[in-house]
Amino acid sequence: MAHSLSEVFINGNPYLESLGVVVLDYGDGRASMALALRSEFMNSWHVAQGGISMTLMDVAMGLAARTAVVDAKSSATVDMSTSFLRPAGKSGDTLIAHGRVYHSSTTMCFCDAELWNGNLLVAKAMGTFKAIKRVDIGKRLVPEK
């Protein structure tokens, strides 16, 4: 069952909304999301730009991390490593990212993700994520006047 981004992210996520990301499933240290590729996501070779692939895997791992830590409201990427195995796809294809937590502590999660285009594995990633238990963390990022 697909979930709206407003269900999954407390304050929404304008970036993911603009891309058209759909959360397919999340919970228990796992998350899956899909993105239909559009022409504006292509690079000069007319295949999906690598940042699109990284975004999907980053968010899948981050969302998985958030579900693995009690009382976590969000998560922040500490480190991410990506391997691109083949071109991710062309306009009209749909990419699916699956993220999972393979180890966690009280505030840190170690995750991996796979990105699929149909039955083709197109990229893999590993990442470290810090669980955030406060919803007002964004206020600390804006300097006071």
Side-chain angles (χ1 to χ4, degrees):
M1 176 182 145
H3 301 273
S4 72
L5 293 172
S6 60
E7 276 181 77
V8 177
F9 295 97
I10 294 168
N11 296 317
N13 190 310
Y15 176 61
L16 297 178
E17 290 166 12
S18 72
L19 294 177
V21 171
V22 175
V23 177
L24 302 174
D25 191 30
Y26 73 104
D28 298 321
R30 295 186 177 276
S32 296
M33 52 200 38
L35 176 66
L37 294 175
R38 303 189 312 245
S39 61
E40 60 265 33
F41 301 156
M42 301 303 113
N43 62 22
S44 60
W45 296 328
H46 303 283
V47 295
Q49 200 274 342
I52 292 290
S53 298
M54 292 181 74
T55 293
L56 286 172
M57 292 186 293
D58 177 52
V59 176
M61 290 187 291
L63 186 55
R66 191 180 84 194
T67 70
V69 175
V70 176
D71 296 328
K73 306 287 189 265
S74 188
S75 65
T77 309
V78 174
D79 177 67
M80 182 174 168
S81 174
T82 305
S83 295
F84 300 98
L85 307 175
R86 65 183 77 232
K90 61 188 182 323
S91 184
D93 290 348
T94 297
L95 299 179
I96 307 240
H98 300 285
R100 75 174 179 107
V101 175
Y102 61 84
H103 179 74
S104 64
S105 68
T106 55
T107 60
M108 299 296 284
C109 291
F110 301 88
C111 304
D112 58 18
E114 293 182 343
L115 186 67
W116 293 83
N117 182 340
N119 62 355
L120 294 176
L121 177 63
V122 298
K124 290 187 67 96
M126 291 183 70
T128 307
F129 293 79
K130 177 158 180 58
I132 299 171
K133 296 183 179 187
R134 294 175 45 183
V135 293
D136 65 344
I137 192 74
K139 291 179 184 174
R140 293 176 44 200
L141 302 176
V142 179
E144 292 183 27
K145 293 181 181 182

